Amino acid sequence: MSDPVTASSDPAPDANCPPAAAPSSAGPTAPAAPTDPADAAPWRTVEALVGWLDRESALPKEQERLLRVLKLSEEVGEAAQAVIGATGQNPRKGRSHTWDDVHAELCDVIVTAMVALRTLTPEARQVFEGHLRRVAERVPGSEAP
């Protein structure tokens, strides 16, 4: 399992890193519905991760943005590898992973996507919550907040 947000093996960031501003290329977003303050905790962590990655990067901003989106492909591949290993579908390797490994890889995908989204727009939380509401509204019988 690799670091979910970087291609390097740098140590994990300090959770108290100040957030860094990122350029926004997104259009207008729907206003966010009132949420529980505890819901903001993951986004504070994402802010810290983005700030840390921004400080550590020597790449031009546009290249960094693209690579953070491309990092998702790597993480999804690792999740697929873990599923194959958990089900023993590679006869040469057998059961090389557990379902806990799959859970961890899926979490890496989620964190990497959150970091990529926050890299693209400072309104990442609102963009995500609005999108999630729209998805929920399409599900029969669901009540979107």
Side-chain angles (χ1 to χ4, degrees), residues 10-35:
D10 291 335
D14 179 351
N16 296 319
C17 294
S24 175
S25 64
T29 59
T35 58

Side-chain angles (χ1 to χ4, degrees), residues 2-13 45-46 48-50 52-54 64 67-72 74-75 78 107-116 119:
S2 72
D3 180 347
V5 292
T6 66
S8 69
S9 58
D10 291 335
T45 301
V46 168
L49 290 169
V50 170
W52 172 67
L53 290 169
D54 286 349
E64 188 65 43
L67 289 172
R68 290 186 194 169
V69 173
L70 290 176
K71 180 72 175 159
L72 279 165
E74 177 188 351
E75 295 302 334
E78 290 176 10
C107 289
D108 286 351
V109 170
I110 293 166
V111 170
T112 302
M114 291 174 78
V115 165
T119 297

